[in-house]
Amino acid sequence: AGRLAISWEEDGSFRSTAVDIDPQIVPVVAIPAYELSTELARNLLPGSVPHAAAAANSGRAALLVQALTRDPSLLLPGTVDALHQSQRAPAMLPSADLIRTLRAAGYAAVVSGAGPTVMTLAAGPAQADAVEALISKHLESSDLPDGWRVLRLTVDTEGAKVIVHPRK
């Protein structure tokens, strides 16, 4: 049903609920011309993580829900990751470099999925403009491969729909 889906497993079955995203949130993605296989990205992750890292990520995930639904000023601290981004960085150095640049400037940049796409959650259109400008400047001033696409997205508030057309 669109929005932010929060899912969990309970007693062997999966459940999900959806919450509204703050209308100020503007996702900006930088899609590189290179690919990274999901299998390779998964294989870079350790078999287990320290309790402290898991606990830290749990707190950041809760903070991210608050940032996405009520207080976009918390997007940067809410997107700190201790579980997968640094482990996968060697397989996507150009993306990791862009993320470091964006986060150093105060923007909530993360790896999208398994990577190598970079997603920045901007707190409003003006911040999205600044993110796009910084991405362009970074891409022009670095030795990154050509072919990156930068897109400003909207948050889907309705989700997937099935449309049935009657036969004639």
Side-chain angles (χ1 to χ4, degrees):
R3 309 184 298 163
L4 169 65
I6 301 172
S7 302
W8 68 99
E9 186 266 335
E10 185 175 322
D11 299 326
S13 60
F14 291 90
R15 303 198 51 203
S16 185
T17 188
V19 294
D20 291 324
I21 298 289
D22 186 298
Q24 293 182 73
I25 306 290
V26 180
V28 177
V29 293
I31 306 163
Y34 69 94
E35 294 183 10
L36 174 65
S37 83
T38 301
E39 181 180 359
L40 172 62
R42 286 185 181 145
N43 288 336
L44 293 171
L45 299 177
S48 62
V49 297
H51 183 273
N57 249 56
S58 294
R60 296 299 178 144
L63 182 61
L64 183 57
V65 171
Q66 177 72 6
L68 288 169
T69 60
R70 296 177 184 226
D71 188 354
S73 72
L74 298 172
L75 285 168
L76 184 62
T79 54
V80 170
D81 172 77
L83 297 182
H84 77 97
Q85 291 191 124
S86 63
Q87 292 87 339
R88 291 176 169 166
M92 55 182 132
L93 291 174
S95 297
D97 187 43
L98 178 57
I99 289 169
R100 275 190 296 279
T101 296
L102 289 161
R103 291 191 71 82
Y107 302 120
V110 297
V111 172
S112 179
T117 295
V118 174
M119 179 176 68
T120 305
L121 297 169
Q127 191 175 90
D129 289 342
V131 166
E132 288 175 337
L134 181 56
I135 291 171
S136 293
K137 180 180 174 186
H138 180 82
L139 294 175
E140 290 170 6
S141 67
S142 67
D143 293 331
L144 294 182
D146 291 335
W148 287 68
R149 292 182 302 138
V150 179
L151 304 171
R152 186 181 298 209
L153 306 177
T154 58
V155 175
D156 183 3
T157 58
E158 296 181 22
K161 292 183 180 181
V162 175
I163 300 173
V164 178
H165 297 280
R167 290 186 179 185
K168 294 183 180 183

